[in-house]
Amino acid sequence: MNVRTGVAIACISALTFLSGTRGALWAQDATQASPAAGVATQDSTNDLSVAVGKSVVLDLARPVTRIVVGLGDIAQATAVSPTQLLVNGKLPGETSLIIWDAGGGRQFFNITVRPSMVAARDKLETVRRELRSELPGQNLKVTEDGGNIFLRGTVKDITSSQRAVQIASTAGKVVNLLSVNIPASDPQILLKVRFASVDRNKSKQLGMNLFSTGAGNTYGIATTGQYSPPTVTPNIGLTPGSTSASVFLSNELNLFAFYPGINLGATIQALESQGLVQVLAEPNLLAENGKQASFLAGGEFPYPIAQVGAGGAGSTITIAFREYGVRLSFIPTITPRGTIRLQVAPEVSSLDYTNGVQIQGIVEPGITTRKVKTEVELLDGQSFAIGGLLDNRETETFQKIPFLGDIPILGKFFQSMQRTKTNTELIVIVTPEIVAPMPAGAALPTPKFPATFLPPNSAIPMHNPDAKTPETTLPPPPASIPVERLMDSMKPETPLAVDQSTSGMSSMGSTGGAATSSGP
């Protein structure tokens, strides 16, 4: 811009008002010789620092003809006289100032605008006030350096530390140097689960099979096919008057009748049976708040898997293993309401050879399973029935020989009937309890062993030494530790490596050869 004499005269009053803030910084020594006309001059660089909201006056050796500021949002330059400039700081940052004088020379200035100390102190005071309001009674110290906010002191828990960082972040980048009081240990939660199951069944069977060993020179059997009939085999080359056929019975019978005079016999199946199965399983499992725990009391059984060999060759039977028994898995979490939220998955399973399958002469059992997976919320000591089942079934099978079974009275000999009734009642109850460990030296709960074990060969106990020594005594914990160290201690532990040697797989050829183990 061109600086006119009229503008310089109009700015004399403003220069007089700002004379109190006029700096002693000079852009160029007044005694410096000006460059000769027509001779190129080398640009010089000067540093100028001003705070936000402050002003600096530049005294120049030659009248100014033009002024350029790189970023007008950071700094502003105004000519108050032909040889004086007023530089105002607007926002923190850096920019450049270029000045052209009447002699054709130019000068460069690097302007650094610093944050206002008043604004920084106001922000820090605001942060301190909010910390005192939100975290009363906690020793906190807030300082600022280079635009960074440093937090020091001791807070009572991690939540207080996180809240202090959120409040301090409103004033700049936060460096968290807080310590936190060591919290008490998490509560231990004991889950009691009760499986109660009753299975009852009642069946009634009634049927008849007729057979002839030569009545009317006729051999034969009349049966409904529901129960195994006897086998009649004719005899060849017998003397007159003797039995002309042999009878073979293939199953156990209740009633059997044979009339030699007419070579006619009958087998009658009349059975009534009752069955009762009771299951009561009470697995108890202890876990820390928010941690998963699992329990299994049972075993593993092998089952075959048929696989086609390479290149379409004969199939190969691979043996895998599956667990069964009493299983319990759960995750307890204590809520802010004081309740215990449970993710629980109890299961009771047993081998069932009735529903098994036979492969290459080997019977592989099925599994009877009762399991529940749900999520509930309880108070300490309360109970919930998380699963229940009432199953009543009645099955009736009736078979008869066509036409013969419809004859009044005599038709009963050509009919068979089987009626089965089953009743299953199941209930699963869970009870969480917050428990404390048993005191040191207290008697431990153990099963009552009906027989006496052999005495040990050594008189030295396996838990030697018994007495505590300074080497085996842990030092007392400190009152507080850094937040980072406490956060590291609260990270989940590495899961245990479960030994899978019992769950290995073996394979054998489809021809029934010897098994070759592929496990360790």
Side-chain angles (χ1 to χ4, degrees), residues 1-3 62-67 82 99-105:
M1 58 176 291
N2 295 326
V3 180
R62 292 178 176 274
V64 177
T65 60
R66 190 168 50 176
I67 304 170
I99 302 173
W100 284 266
D101 57 29

PDB file of all heavy atoms in Angstrom, residues 1-3 62-67 82 99-105:
ATOM      1  N   MET A   1       0.845  -1.182   0.000  1.00  0.00           N
ATOM      2  CA  MET A   1       0.000   0.000   0.000  1.00  0.00           C
ATOM      3  C   MET A   1       0.883   1.236   0.000  1.00  0.00           C
ATOM      4  O   MET A   1       1.993   1.220   0.538  1.00  0.00           O
ATOM      5  CB  MET A   1      -0.915  -0.012   1.225  1.00  0.00           C
ATOM      6  CG  MET A   1      -0.192  -0.078   2.573  1.00  0.00           C
ATOM      7  SD  MET A   1      -1.309   0.024   3.970  1.00  0.00           S
ATOM      8  CE  MET A   1      -1.837   1.701   3.815  1.00  0.00           C
ATOM      9  N   ASN A   2       0.432   2.350  -0.565  1.00  0.00           N
ATOM     10  CA  ASN A   2       1.174   3.609  -0.555  1.00  0.00           C
ATOM     11  C   ASN A   2       0.822   4.384   0.686  1.00  0.00           C
ATOM     12  O   ASN A   2      -0.336   4.560   1.048  1.00  0.00           O
ATOM     13  CB  ASN A   2       0.819   4.429  -1.787  1.00  0.00           C
ATOM     14  CG  ASN A   2       1.267   3.731  -3.065  1.00  0.00           C
ATOM     15  OD1 ASN A   2       2.298   3.079  -3.037  1.00  0.00           O
ATOM     16  ND2 ASN A   2       0.510   3.887  -4.140  1.00  0.00           N
ATOM     17  N   VAL A   3       1.832   4.818   1.359  1.00  0.00           N
ATOM     18  CA  VAL A   3       1.639   5.586   2.594  1.00  0.00           C
ATOM     19  C   VAL A   3       1.657   7.057   2.233  1.00  0.00           C
ATOM     20  O   VAL A   3       2.640   7.561   1.692  1.00  0.00           O
ATOM     21  CB  VAL A   3       2.759   5.268   3.618  1.00  0.00           C
ATOM     22  CG1 VAL A   3       2.539   6.063   4.870  1.00  0.00           C
ATOM     23  CG2 VAL A   3       2.760   3.786   3.886  1.00  0.00           C
ATOM     24  N   ARG A  62      13.812   4.550   6.865  1.00  0.00           N
ATOM     25  CA  ARG A  62      13.344   5.213   5.649  1.00  0.00           C
ATOM     26  C   ARG A  62      11.812   5.197   5.622  1.00  0.00           C
ATOM     27  O   ARG A  62      11.187   4.319   6.201  1.00  0.00           O
ATOM     28  CB  ARG A  62      13.893   4.521   4.402  1.00  0.00           C
ATOM     29  CG  ARG A  62      15.400   4.669   4.232  1.00  0.00           C
ATOM     30  CD  ARG A  62      15.861   3.913   3.002  1.00  0.00           C
ATOM     31  NE  ARG A  62      17.265   4.119   2.762  1.00  0.00           N
ATOM     32  CZ  ARG A  62      17.771   5.134   2.070  1.00  0.00           C
ATOM     33  NH1 ARG A  62      16.951   6.032   1.543  1.00  0.00           N
ATOM     34  NH2 ARG A  62      19.072   5.265   1.890  1.00  0.00           N
ATOM     35  N   PRO A  63      11.214   6.094   4.937  1.00  0.00           N
ATOM     36  CA  PRO A  63       9.758   6.088   4.814  1.00  0.00           C
ATOM     37  C   PRO A  63       9.268   4.807   4.126  1.00  0.00           C
ATOM     38  O   PRO A  63       9.917   4.269   3.245  1.00  0.00           O
ATOM     39  CB  PRO A  63       9.466   7.335   3.974  1.00  0.00           C
ATOM     40  CG  PRO A  63      10.652   8.203   4.147  1.00  0.00           C
ATOM     41  CD  PRO A  63      11.827   7.305   4.305  1.00  0.00           C
ATOM     42  N   VAL A  64       8.102   4.368   4.582  1.00  0.00           N
ATOM     43  CA  VAL A  64       7.521   3.128   4.084  1.00  0.00           C
ATOM     44  C   VAL A  64       6.620   3.428   2.894  1.00  0.00           C
ATOM     45  O   VAL A  64       5.857   4.401   2.903  1.00  0.00           O
ATOM     46  CB  VAL A  64       6.711   2.431   5.197  1.00  0.00           C
ATOM     47  CG1 VAL A  64       6.038   1.187   4.661  1.00  0.00           C
ATOM     48  CG2 VAL A  64       7.616   2.094   6.364  1.00  0.00           C
ATOM     49  N   THR A  65       6.754   2.578   1.883  1.00  0.00           N
ATOM     50  CA  THR A  65       5.874   2.729   0.714  1.00  0.00           C
ATOM     51  C   THR A  65       4.839   1.610   0.603  1.00  0.00           C
ATOM     52  O   THR A  65       3.770   1.807   0.019  1.00  0.00           O
ATOM     53  CB  THR A  65       6.713   2.745  -0.572  1.00  0.00           C
ATOM     54  OG1 THR A  65       7.441   1.509  -0.667  1.00  0.00           O
ATOM     55  CG2 THR A  65       7.681   3.926  -0.569  1.00  0.00           C
ATOM     56  N   ARG A  66       5.163   0.418   1.131  1.00  0.00           N
ATOM     57  CA  ARG A  66       4.222  -0.703   1.018  1.00  0.00           C
ATOM     58  C   ARG A  66       4.470  -1.693   2.151  1.00  0.00           C
ATOM     59  O   ARG A  66       5.612  -1.911   2.577  1.00  0.00           O
ATOM     60  CB  ARG A  66       4.389  -1.402  -0.330  1.00  0.00           C
ATOM     61  CG  ARG A  66       3.289  -2.416  -0.627  1.00  0.00           C
ATOM     62  CD  ARG A  66       3.322  -2.851  -2.069  1.00  0.00           C
ATOM     63  NE  ARG A  66       4.659  -3.263  -2.488  1.00  0.00           N
ATOM     64  CZ  ARG A  66       4.944  -3.758  -3.676  1.00  0.00           C
ATOM     65  NH1 ARG A  66       3.988  -3.858  -4.583  1.00  0.00           N
ATOM     66  NH2 ARG A  66       6.172  -4.105  -3.990  1.00  0.00           N
ATOM     67  N   ILE A  67       3.374  -2.331   2.640  1.00  0.00           N
ATOM     68  CA  ILE A  67       3.435  -3.315   3.747  1.00  0.00           C
ATOM     69  C   ILE A  67       2.599  -4.535   3.336  1.00  0.00           C
ATOM     70  O   ILE A  67       1.484  -4.384   2.815  1.00  0.00           O
ATOM     71  CB  ILE A  67       2.883  -2.734   5.062  1.00  0.00           C
ATOM     72  CG1 ILE A  67       3.612  -1.441   5.438  1.00  0.00           C
ATOM     73  CG2 ILE A  67       2.993  -3.750   6.187  1.00  0.00           C
ATOM     74  CD1 ILE A  67       2.967  -0.708   6.572  1.00  0.00           C
ATOM     75  N   PRO A  82       5.214   7.916   8.460  1.00  0.00           N
ATOM     76  CA  PRO A  82       6.020   7.406   7.346  1.00  0.00           C
ATOM     77  C   PRO A  82       7.137   6.467   7.781  1.00  0.00           C
ATOM     78  O   PRO A  82       7.546   5.611   6.990  1.00  0.00           O
ATOM     79  CB  PRO A  82       6.559   8.679   6.705  1.00  0.00           C
ATOM     80  CG  PRO A  82       5.570   9.730   7.033  1.00  0.00           C
ATOM     81  CD  PRO A  82       5.067   9.395   8.407  1.00  0.00           C
ATOM     82  N   ILE A  99       8.341  -5.310   4.278  1.00  0.00           N
ATOM     83  CA  ILE A  99       8.234  -3.847   4.208  1.00  0.00           C
ATOM     84  C   ILE A  99       9.091  -3.345   3.041  1.00  0.00           C
ATOM     85  O   ILE A  99      10.262  -3.722   2.916  1.00  0.00           O
ATOM     86  CB  ILE A  99       8.701  -3.199   5.526  1.00  0.00           C
ATOM     87  CG1 ILE A  99       7.875  -3.736   6.716  1.00  0.00           C
ATOM     88  CG2 ILE A  99       8.596  -1.682   5.450  1.00  0.00           C
ATOM     89  CD1 ILE A  99       8.381  -3.279   8.058  1.00  0.00           C
ATOM     90  N   TRP A 100       8.490  -2.483   2.187  1.00  0.00           N
ATOM     91  CA  TRP A 100       9.245  -1.809   1.121  1.00  0.00           C
ATOM     92  C   TRP A 100       9.413  -0.331   1.509  1.00  0.00           C
ATOM     93  O   TRP A 100       8.444   0.325   1.947  1.00  0.00           O
ATOM     94  CB  TRP A 100       8.492  -1.886  -0.199  1.00  0.00           C
ATOM     95  CG  TRP A 100       8.579  -3.238  -0.853  1.00  0.00           C
ATOM     96  CD1 TRP A 100       9.457  -3.643  -1.786  1.00  0.00           C
ATOM     97  CD2 TRP A 100       7.694  -4.336  -0.631  1.00  0.00           C
ATOM     98  NE1 TRP A 100       9.234  -4.937  -2.166  1.00  0.00           N
ATOM     99  CE2 TRP A 100       8.123  -5.404  -1.457  1.00  0.00           C
ATOM    100  CE3 TRP A 100       6.595  -4.563   0.216  1.00  0.00           C
ATOM    101  CZ2 TRP A 100       7.506  -6.644  -1.500  1.00  0.00           C
ATOM    102  CZ3 TRP A 100       5.983  -5.791   0.171  1.00  0.00           C
ATOM    103  CH2 TRP A 100       6.428  -6.824  -0.671  1.00  0.00           C
ATOM    104  N   ASP A 101      10.633   0.201   1.357  1.00  0.00           N
ATOM    105  CA  ASP A 101      10.870   1.607   1.719  1.00  0.00           C
ATOM    106  C   ASP A 101      10.968   2.453   0.458  1.00  0.00           C
ATOM    107  O   ASP A 101      10.944   1.956  -0.680  1.00  0.00           O
ATOM    108  CB  ASP A 101      12.118   1.746   2.584  1.00  0.00           C
ATOM    109  CG  ASP A 101      13.362   1.191   1.921  1.00  0.00           C
ATOM    110  OD1 ASP A 101      13.427   1.196   0.664  1.00  0.00           O
ATOM    111  OD2 ASP A 101      14.278   0.735   2.644  1.00  0.00           O
ATOM    112  N   ALA A 102      11.138   3.767   0.674  1.00  0.00           N
ATOM    113  CA  ALA A 102      11.165   4.707  -0.452  1.00  0.00           C
ATOM    114  C   ALA A 102      12.405   4.550  -1.311  1.00  0.00           C
ATOM    115  O   ALA A 102      12.409   4.927  -2.488  1.00  0.00           O
ATOM    116  CB  ALA A 102      11.065   6.151   0.076  1.00  0.00           C
ATOM    117  N   GLY A 103      13.486   3.982  -0.758  1.00  0.00           N
ATOM    118  CA  GLY A 103      14.717   3.824  -1.522  1.00  0.00           C
ATOM    119  C   GLY A 103      14.729   2.568  -2.370  1.00  0.00           C
ATOM    120  O   GLY A 103      15.751   2.248  -2.993  1.00  0.00           O
ATOM    121  N   GLY A 104      13.651   1.793  -2.391  1.00  0.00           N
ATOM    122  CA  GLY A 104      13.592   0.575  -3.196  1.00  0.00           C
ATOM    123  C   GLY A 104      14.021  -0.670  -2.437  1.00  0.00           C
ATOM    124  O   GLY A 104      13.990  -1.764  -2.987  1.00  0.00           O
ATOM    125  N   GLY A 105      14.471  -0.551  -1.192  1.00  0.00           N
ATOM    126  CA  GLY A 105      14.848  -1.738  -0.407  1.00  0.00           C
ATOM    127  C   GLY A 105      13.645  -2.376   0.266  1.00  0.00           C
ATOM    128  O   GLY A 105      12.559  -1.799   0.354  1.00  0.00           O
TER     129      GLY A 105
END
